[in-house]
Structures are given as structure tokens and as C-alpha cells.
Amino acid sequence: MASPDGAHGEAGATENQHSNQQPQQADTNTSMTTDASLAAKSKRPGGPRKAAPWIGVVLVLVVLVAVIFGVRAANSRGGGKADDGAASSVAIGLKLAPTNLDIRNTAGSSLDQILIGNVYEGLVARDSENKVVPALAKSWEVSDDGLKYTFHLRDGVKFSNGDALTAEDVVWSLDELVSKQYHDADSLKNLETIGASGDDTVVITLSQPYSQLLWALTGRAGLVFDKDAKYVAKTQAVGSGPYLVKDFKPNTMITLEENPTYWGAKPKTPTIVVRYYADDNAAVNALRSGEVQVLAPISAQLAEPFRKDTAKYVVKTGEGTDKYVLGMNNAAGRPTADKKVRQAIRYAIDHDQLIAARGGVDKALGGPIPSLDPGYEDLTKLYPHDAAKAEALLKEAGYTKDHPLKLTLTYANTYGSEIGDQLRSQLKEVGIDLKVNVVEFSTWLQDVYTDKDYDLSLVDHNESHDFTQWSNPDYYYGYDNKDVQKLTDEALHATDDATRDEKLAKAARIVSEDAAADWLLNYRITTAMDKGVTGFPLNMNQTYLPLWNVAYTPAK
């Protein structure tokens, strides 16, 4: 059930840290996740003298001015303490900056990150383990046939402008999403009717079961808007969450302020200032200088000085759903259409070496489903690093070191050149002559994603619950497996989670055994914080960042 404090389960915030669907363009040095580009196709000396009456007034004014400026200066650095020593504001440094606040029309994970769960809410939410928990709906029932979802709304919920939030607003929001095809409308599949029963009950009926409906409603598709509100969506927001948007400077910063009408408990910190840093050095300097108290993400290498300075900082790593995929073109006519070639490539890759070169915080991932998604199974033992086995498979496919297999790896320059160099070196050891072609993202998008003109590719697939790309033969992998398609379809139409997860796991194992691609790593998010920060979310914080539990107690 939901925490009594707000629209997040108890797992929605991390432990106290006071102690010690689509490919995304990537960030070179940190998260490897950026804007969802494809979803759319930054004092008087002297002895004692009797003072004139006006001098006392001046002194009082001077003191008042000093106090006011002192408070402002303290607040700008996360100061302004409450009675318990906690600061009244916290400054957070993030990487991906929204260009505007129109979450219904604008692509980009930066909007999901800062607005969902903070400013806007849906019927349901996600916790830190990527599980569905109650939000605006305090409870719900699903019919045995999986076709009817009945949501019971909380009492007394208001939007930030004071309007009551009712079932009518929920129905209107979902109807608008579908009719105007707002962002992520396609994630709500099999919808038949959306209706209200009184002010506090919403009923959604489906034409056939869809096992991912609840999870889809935790994102943009399920957000509830005030049907009567008048505001400029690009620069303003009217939601029901714990925070209001007090100030917004595109590509630069956003200030969140406590929402006095919030239905749940007050956020622990009244004011959150989010500053965006495109430059990694500027971000690191901001944390070091105290301009921000939290920095996320930060590369393992840049985080090392903070990790060592345990008297001042805490560095933590959280889980994510980013899958760093080495795509292989499975289409007929390509060398990689040969399963033995694909298997050889997988055996040739030393994943531990790749991860170590990035600082050692990422995880090996042996298949298409990460640990926070349904259907996960540890498949890393299917293709352990084995150069001899790779050479043997290549020989069976007709290639030797004297007659090497020649392939081209094409990927966007936002990923940097190091990983391409590593793959070239590793594949060379088994007799594969790899040409690395680093291009502009727009070129990759056209040549690889659209035209499917490539041998190998490299991209971060950061979306959760995106396994269906492996059941789509028209996707850029060109992977066409009828068993996978059947299992995926059965999983999506399952009426219980256990069946869904079992079907997905079976399908994922087939995909991995087929060596349809290689999963170089599961990217994990590193966050560096002032030691006085507590409650900052670690898991998935690049796409989902609820801040109601964040607090900061400056060192004395």
C-alpha cells in the first residue's frame, strides 16, 4: 500500500545516506542517457560617546540588511536552517535539462525526471524497485478476466490552484491523451472505455487483457491534469504533487516550492533548486564549492575524489534499466545473419574489461531484460568470455585469422571512442577485423535505425518494460523469431504477473541464446552528495526522481 506521506510506496525513497522503447542518444562521460530524441522522429572607532538618536536607527537597519543578505546567501547554498538543523532548501545538480515544461507534447526524459511524482501525479506511481504503488488512486481492483480496472480515488485531493481533483479530471486527462495522441499515448493499449462513477471512482475497460497497463499508467500516459486550469504549459504547471514550479529557466534551472494544497504529508525540504550542467567539470566544481549538495549522474572516475573524502561526501550507486546494446543486424545477407558469427562475437567480448574501464560500477547483463524489469533472469553465464570458443565458431562459419571476418561497427559520437577501440581490440584477438565508424547521432538514426544499413551498432536502450522490441521483426535488429513473438504476446495478454514474468523470461532466454545481440552492460547511476543529504533516490533517478523525502542538514 502507499505510504501515508504521499504518492510513493515506502520503497520510493532510498535508505538514509547520512552515514558513510527506444534508443537514446547518449552522454559521453556520465549516464549514457540523454534526451529521448527518437520519441519526437540544456561598524565606529573611538571612545564612548553618546550617539545621536538617528544612529541607532541606522544601526538597526544595517543589522537587518546584513541578516537578510546572510539568509539569502545561506539559502542559495542549501542553507536557511529549520529548528531541527535541516536546511529549508537543497540544490541538486542534474545533467539533462528540459527546454520547456510541456510534458504532454515534448519528448525527453528530463521532463519525466523532474515533473512526475513532484509536480504531476497519476492514478498509480512507481517505487524505487520499479514496482507499481498507489498514488492518486488509494486502491484498485482488476477483474478476473483482466478487462476491467476500477480505481478508487483518495479523498480531498486538490490541484495546486485549489481546484478539486475528481474522477472527471482523470477521465478527461486520459481521453485527451488518446484523442490528441499526446506523448506516450501508445503505451495505453487495448483501451475500450474510460468512465467515472461519481467523483471518486474511475473505471477503465479493455478490449483484451494488457498486463502492462498499470505500469504504463505510472508514466506520462497516466498523469492527471486539471481540465479547468488555464496556464502556459511550456513555462508553467498545475499539478497535484508535493511541489509547485516556482521558477523555470530553460536549459538552466528549475525551482520547486512546497505545494500548500498537497494531499499528503509536507515534503521534508520546502524548496528544491535544480541546476543543470552540460559540462562535467562545471558540475563537479558546483558540488565541490557547495553550489549544489547533490550531483547525479557522475562518472565513476569523476566521483572518486568525493568517494575518498568520506568526511564531507557520500557516493552511492543505484540500479537502472539502461541496457548498453551491441546490436547485430540479423537480416538475411549480412554476415551477422549467421548465428555462429553472432555467438562468436559474444564469446569474444570481455565484459568485465569493458566495465572495469568505465570505473567498475556497471553490471554485466547477459540478456535483454534488466534486473528492475519483469521477467528478469541472470543470463550472464550463457556466453562467458572464451576466445578459443569464438575462434572455433568463426572457423565453422568459414573465417580464420588468415581470412578474417570484416565487420563495421557504427555508433553515435556521443558515446566517445574508447569503447569502440576496446571492441576492435577484443574482436581482433579472435580474427574479426572491426572497422569502427563513429558518426553524428542524426547519421546513426538514418543509416542504422531507419535504413538498417549496418553490421554492428551500439546504443543505450534506457526504457523500462521495452522487451517488445525483440518481438518486432521490423525493428532495426531485423530479429524474427516466432517463438519469441508468441511468448511476448502471451505475456502482454496475461491476467496475472506470475504468468507474465514467466513468459517474458522464456522469451528473453531464447533471444540471448540466439545471440540476437550482445548486452555489453547494465548502466548503473552514480550519485555524489554532501554527507548531510538524506532521502535522495538512487535507483532510476535519471528518469524518475521523487524529491519529497530529500533533506539536508549542513555540517556544524
Side-chain angles (χ1 to χ4, degrees), residues 213-226:
L213 176 67
L214 286 174
W215 189 87
L217 288 172
T218 67
R220 292 197 193 196
L223 296 181
V224 178
F225 300 91
D226 183 352

PDB file of all heavy atoms in Angstrom, residues 213-226:
ATOM      1  N   LEU A 213      -0.627  -2.452 -18.326  1.00  0.00           N
ATOM      2  CA  LEU A 213      -1.437  -1.246 -18.202  1.00  0.00           C
ATOM      3  C   LEU A 213      -1.080  -0.445 -16.945  1.00  0.00           C
ATOM      4  O   LEU A 213      -0.863   0.766 -17.021  1.00  0.00           O
ATOM      5  CB  LEU A 213      -2.927  -1.596 -18.167  1.00  0.00           C
ATOM      6  CG  LEU A 213      -3.852  -0.390 -17.944  1.00  0.00           C
ATOM      7  CD1 LEU A 213      -3.804   0.555 -19.138  1.00  0.00           C
ATOM      8  CD2 LEU A 213      -5.279  -0.834 -17.666  1.00  0.00           C
ATOM      9  N   LEU A 214      -1.039  -1.095 -15.802  1.00  0.00           N
ATOM     10  CA  LEU A 214      -0.763  -0.368 -14.565  1.00  0.00           C
ATOM     11  C   LEU A 214       0.597   0.313 -14.619  1.00  0.00           C
ATOM     12  O   LEU A 214       0.738   1.473 -14.226  1.00  0.00           O
ATOM     13  CB  LEU A 214      -0.827  -1.315 -13.357  1.00  0.00           C
ATOM     14  CG  LEU A 214      -2.230  -1.764 -12.939  1.00  0.00           C
ATOM     15  CD1 LEU A 214      -2.139  -2.811 -11.836  1.00  0.00           C
ATOM     16  CD2 LEU A 214      -3.057  -0.569 -12.473  1.00  0.00           C
ATOM     17  N   TRP A 215       1.594  -0.409 -15.107  1.00  0.00           N
ATOM     18  CA  TRP A 215       2.926   0.208 -15.180  1.00  0.00           C
ATOM     19  C   TRP A 215       2.910   1.398 -16.143  1.00  0.00           C
ATOM     20  O   TRP A 215       3.521   2.434 -15.873  1.00  0.00           O
ATOM     21  CB  TRP A 215       3.989  -0.805 -15.598  1.00  0.00           C
ATOM     22  CG  TRP A 215       5.357  -0.230 -15.468  1.00  0.00           C
ATOM     23  CD1 TRP A 215       6.143  -0.230 -14.354  1.00  0.00           C
ATOM     24  CD2 TRP A 215       6.089   0.475 -16.473  1.00  0.00           C
ATOM     25  NE1 TRP A 215       7.313   0.439 -14.606  1.00  0.00           N
ATOM     26  CE2 TRP A 215       7.307   0.879 -15.890  1.00  0.00           C
ATOM     27  CE3 TRP A 215       5.830   0.806 -17.805  1.00  0.00           C
ATOM     28  CZ2 TRP A 215       8.270   1.586 -16.599  1.00  0.00           C
ATOM     29  CZ3 TRP A 215       6.781   1.526 -18.499  1.00  0.00           C
ATOM     30  CH2 TRP A 215       7.986   1.905 -17.909  1.00  0.00           C
ATOM     31  N   ALA A 216       2.220   1.270 -17.273  1.00  0.00           N
ATOM     32  CA  ALA A 216       2.129   2.378 -18.226  1.00  0.00           C
ATOM     33  C   ALA A 216       1.499   3.601 -17.584  1.00  0.00           C
ATOM     34  O   ALA A 216       1.875   4.744 -17.872  1.00  0.00           O
ATOM     35  CB  ALA A 216       1.336   1.955 -19.461  1.00  0.00           C
ATOM     36  N   LEU A 217       0.543   3.384 -16.679  1.00  0.00           N
ATOM     37  CA  LEU A 217      -0.132   4.494 -16.015  1.00  0.00           C
ATOM     38  C   LEU A 217       0.755   5.205 -14.997  1.00  0.00           C
ATOM     39  O   LEU A 217       0.418   6.280 -14.515  1.00  0.00           O
ATOM     40  CB  LEU A 217      -1.398   3.997 -15.315  1.00  0.00           C
ATOM     41  CG  LEU A 217      -2.560   3.617 -16.240  1.00  0.00           C
ATOM     42  CD1 LEU A 217      -3.670   2.948 -15.436  1.00  0.00           C
ATOM     43  CD2 LEU A 217      -3.100   4.844 -16.982  1.00  0.00           C
ATOM     44  N   THR A 218       1.919   4.632 -14.659  1.00  0.00           N
ATOM     45  CA  THR A 218       2.832   5.307 -13.739  1.00  0.00           C
ATOM     46  C   THR A 218       3.640   6.395 -14.429  1.00  0.00           C
ATOM     47  O   THR A 218       4.278   7.210 -13.763  1.00  0.00           O
ATOM     48  CB  THR A 218       3.827   4.313 -13.098  1.00  0.00           C
ATOM     49  OG1 THR A 218       4.720   3.810 -14.115  1.00  0.00           O
ATOM     50  CG2 THR A 218       3.108   3.164 -12.417  1.00  0.00           C
ATOM     51  N   GLY A 219       3.605   6.405 -15.754  1.00  0.00           N
ATOM     52  CA  GLY A 219       4.376   7.386 -16.509  1.00  0.00           C
ATOM     53  C   GLY A 219       3.519   8.509 -17.042  1.00  0.00           C
ATOM     54  O   GLY A 219       2.450   8.820 -16.508  1.00  0.00           O
ATOM     55  N   ARG A 220       3.977   9.112 -18.119  1.00  0.00           N
ATOM     56  CA  ARG A 220       3.270  10.267 -18.690  1.00  0.00           C
ATOM     57  C   ARG A 220       1.830   9.943 -19.062  1.00  0.00           C
ATOM     58  O   ARG A 220       0.941  10.774 -18.917  1.00  0.00           O
ATOM     59  CB  ARG A 220       4.001  10.759 -19.942  1.00  0.00           C
ATOM     60  CG  ARG A 220       5.352  11.365 -19.680  1.00  0.00           C
ATOM     61  CD  ARG A 220       5.762  12.169 -20.891  1.00  0.00           C
ATOM     62  NE  ARG A 220       7.164  12.536 -20.870  1.00  0.00           N
ATOM     63  CZ  ARG A 220       7.701  13.474 -21.628  1.00  0.00           C
ATOM     64  NH1 ARG A 220       6.931  14.131 -22.486  1.00  0.00           N
ATOM     65  NH2 ARG A 220       8.983  13.752 -21.564  1.00  0.00           N
ATOM     66  N   ALA A 221       1.627   8.734 -19.558  1.00  0.00           N
ATOM     67  CA  ALA A 221       0.297   8.379 -20.042  1.00  0.00           C
ATOM     68  C   ALA A 221      -0.754   8.432 -18.948  1.00  0.00           C
ATOM     69  O   ALA A 221      -1.939   8.632 -19.224  1.00  0.00           O
ATOM     70  CB  ALA A 221       0.325   6.986 -20.666  1.00  0.00           C
ATOM     71  N   GLY A 222      -0.357   8.264 -17.686  1.00  0.00           N
ATOM     72  CA  GLY A 222      -1.331   8.224 -16.612  1.00  0.00           C
ATOM     73  C   GLY A 222      -1.462   9.508 -15.813  1.00  0.00           C
ATOM     74  O   GLY A 222      -2.220   9.553 -14.838  1.00  0.00           O
ATOM     75  N   LEU A 223      -0.761  10.562 -16.211  1.00  0.00           N
ATOM     76  CA  LEU A 223      -0.802  11.807 -15.446  1.00  0.00           C
ATOM     77  C   LEU A 223      -2.191  12.437 -15.488  1.00  0.00           C
ATOM     78  O   LEU A 223      -2.871  12.421 -16.513  1.00  0.00           O
ATOM     79  CB  LEU A 223       0.235  12.803 -15.980  1.00  0.00           C
ATOM     80  CG  LEU A 223       1.699  12.373 -15.836  1.00  0.00           C
ATOM     81  CD1 LEU A 223       2.613  13.459 -16.383  1.00  0.00           C
ATOM     82  CD2 LEU A 223       2.039  12.048 -14.389  1.00  0.00           C
ATOM     83  N   VAL A 224      -2.596  13.016 -14.350  1.00  0.00           N
ATOM     84  CA  VAL A 224      -3.919  13.632 -14.232  1.00  0.00           C
ATOM     85  C   VAL A 224      -3.773  15.150 -14.209  1.00  0.00           C
ATOM     86  O   VAL A 224      -3.038  15.707 -13.389  1.00  0.00           O
ATOM     87  CB  VAL A 224      -4.640  13.154 -12.959  1.00  0.00           C
ATOM     88  CG1 VAL A 224      -5.996  13.837 -12.829  1.00  0.00           C
ATOM     89  CG2 VAL A 224      -4.813  11.633 -12.996  1.00  0.00           C
ATOM     90  N   PHE A 225      -4.470  15.798 -15.119  1.00  0.00           N
ATOM     91  CA  PHE A 225      -4.419  17.256 -15.262  1.00  0.00           C
ATOM     92  C   PHE A 225      -5.774  17.865 -14.893  1.00  0.00           C
ATOM     93  O   PHE A 225      -6.811  17.200 -14.960  1.00  0.00           O
ATOM     94  CB  PHE A 225      -4.057  17.632 -16.703  1.00  0.00           C
ATOM     95  CG  PHE A 225      -2.729  17.099 -17.150  1.00  0.00           C
ATOM     96  CD1 PHE A 225      -2.629  15.863 -17.777  1.00  0.00           C
ATOM     97  CD2 PHE A 225      -1.567  17.831 -16.961  1.00  0.00           C
ATOM     98  CE1 PHE A 225      -1.408  15.359 -18.187  1.00  0.00           C
ATOM     99  CE2 PHE A 225      -0.335  17.343 -17.373  1.00  0.00           C
ATOM    100  CZ  PHE A 225      -0.256  16.102 -17.987  1.00  0.00           C
ATOM    101  N   ASP A 226      -5.735  19.136 -14.539  1.00  0.00           N
ATOM    102  CA  ASP A 226      -6.954  19.883 -14.199  1.00  0.00           C
ATOM    103  C   ASP A 226      -7.633  20.326 -15.493  1.00  0.00           C
ATOM    104  O   ASP A 226      -7.087  21.146 -16.238  1.00  0.00           O
ATOM    105  CB  ASP A 226      -6.564  21.096 -13.343  1.00  0.00           C
ATOM    106  CG  ASP A 226      -7.765  21.902 -12.877  1.00  0.00           C
ATOM    107  OD1 ASP A 226      -8.890  21.620 -13.330  1.00  0.00           O
ATOM    108  OD2 ASP A 226      -7.570  22.829 -12.075  1.00  0.00           O
TER     109      ASP A 226
END
